[in-house]
Amino acid sequence: TCTNPIASPTITTTYVVRVTSSFGCKNSDSVRVMVFCDQSQMFIPNAFTPNGDGQNDVFYPRGVGVSAVKNFSIYNRWGQLLYQKSNIQLNDPSVAWDGSYQGSAPKPDVYVYVLEATCLTGEDINIKGDVTILR
């Protein structure tokens, strides 16, 4: 009875439709919707401006299709760990990095992040990149 169904699967799913005409004729068809676990599901900004203006002041991972972020770490150019959170959810500004380290003010520079997560499909995903602090 639904002529325009909408599906939002979190795992690869096969949908089957079966129809019967008013004359008793029957038919069916199926479509398989593949769900992938890849970096395109994530939005991780490449810059932020921790200047206290309330806009783009913090850095945190965003996206869909991820059940949990196992580890989110940020390093300086010498490989020193500056920030780390474990077992967090995406899209949660309460776990954001404000650019500081041991209470010091954010310094304009390029930093490296490593994100280890589990997609809703059960697959692990690891993303590495960089983020720039602008002043």
Side-chain angles (χ1 to χ4, degrees):
T1 61
C2 182
T3 57
N4 293 310
I6 297 173
S8 301
T10 58
I11 60 172
T12 297
T13 304
T14 300
Y15 294 94
V16 179
V17 62
R18 292 180 182 91
V19 296
T20 303
S21 74
S22 58
F23 299 108
C25 298
K26 297 178 181 182
N27 201 352
S28 66
D29 201 356
S30 64
V31 62
R32 186 172 190 177
V33 178
M34 303 290 289
V35 177
F36 297 100
C37 176
D38 64 20
Q39 196 166 349
S40 68
Q41 295 170 223
M42 308 283 287
F43 169 68
I44 304 175
N46 61 0
F48 71 112
T49 57
N51 57 10
D53 68 356
Q55 296 181 15
N56 202 26
D57 284 336
V58 293
F59 175 68
Y60 60 97
R62 300 166 176 111
V64 296
V66 171
S67 60
V69 175
K70 295 187 238 178
N71 187 45
F72 179 51
S73 305
I74 300 170
Y75 302 86
N76 65 14
R77 65 177 64 214
W78 297 279
Q80 180 182 20
L81 179 64
L82 304 179
Y83 179 84
Q84 184 174 38
K85 290 288 182 180
S86 299
N87 301 315
I88 63 172
Q89 296 296 314
L90 287 181
N91 308 310
D92 184 359
S94 73
V95 299
W97 182 47
D98 63 2
S100 66
Y101 177 64
Q102 295 182 339
S104 65
K107 296 182 175 121
D109 207 343
V110 177
Y111 299 88
V112 174
Y113 66 83
V114 177
L115 183 134
E116 301 168 26
T118 302
C119 291
L120 291 174
T121 62
E123 298 171 78
D124 287 334
I125 184 170
N126 297 307
I127 301 172
K128 297 175 184 174
D130 58 75
V131 60
T132 303
I133 291 182
L134 301 172
R135 282 298 211 177

